[in-house]
Amino acid sequence: EVPTHAAFNRRVAQIQEKYPWLVCEWDKKIAGYAYAGSHRSRDAYQWSVELSVYVNAQFQRKGIGRALYESLIALLKLQGFVNAFIGITLPNEPSTKFHESLGFQPIGTYHNVGYKKGQWHSVGWWELPLSVWSNAPKVPLSLLEAGNLEGWQDAFQTGLKFIKGN
């Protein structure tokens, strides 16, 4: 179900202090968005993020999903995150192939974990290492801190080369 504007605004506000939320606008319409969020709430997981991407059906097959993810991943690396995870409601071969083309590797399945539209759904999980694991990792930077880093603007631009018809 499509969230209300208020619910969507709350979702963005909760995420944007620490994690990027990117939007692609095309002809004054929202073509898609991608964002990162907390993988788990405990401190031990602060180096890991969950990613999500959405592309409006009328803008699919134009490279927007790839562009959003490429920029999002570049920003997360600058911030110092180490692992990215995504969950895909199964079956969904197009999403599976798309994420694997970006380097995500399957790691497991939560069977019948979600219930919607009158049926149970399984969710497959994929991972993407963002940096080398260290025994003394630095706490990831907030968006405000990372925004002052050299390369921040370049990271935003990373995905633009993947958009077709621009």
Side-chain angles (χ1 to χ4, degrees), residues 43-148:
D43 283 348
Y45 301 108
Q46 66 186 300
W47 294 272
S48 298
V49 292
E50 274 186 42
L51 308 185
S52 188
V53 67
Y54 167 79
V55 178
N56 184 318
Q58 74 182 88
F59 295 101
Q60 291 180 355
R61 314 271 329 144
K62 294 182 180 290
I64 291 169
R66 179 172 296 276
L68 288 165
Y69 259 170
E70 292 285 348
S71 291
L72 180 64
I73 290 166
L75 293 169
L76 292 166
K77 287 179 179 181
L78 274 175
Q79 285 182 265
F81 290 102
V82 178
N83 305 297
F85 299 98
I86 55 101
I88 302 172
T89 302
L90 301 174
N92 189 337
E93 189 174 349
S95 185
T96 299
K97 285 184 176 182
F98 168 68
H99 285 90
E100 289 179 357
S101 77
L102 290 165
F104 285 89
Q105 296 294 312
I107 55 173
T109 302
Y110 290 169
H111 298 280
N112 298 316
V113 69
Y115 186 83
K116 67 180 183 180
K117 297 184 180 180
Q119 61 183 0
W120 287 98
H121 298 274
S122 295
V123 174
W125 286 92
W126 279 254
E127 70 179 344
L128 178 71
L130 299 176
S131 67
V132 179
W133 296 311
S134 162
N135 287 333
K138 294 181 182 175
V139 173
L141 300 173
S142 70
L143 285 179
L144 185 60
E145 294 166 323
N148 294 321

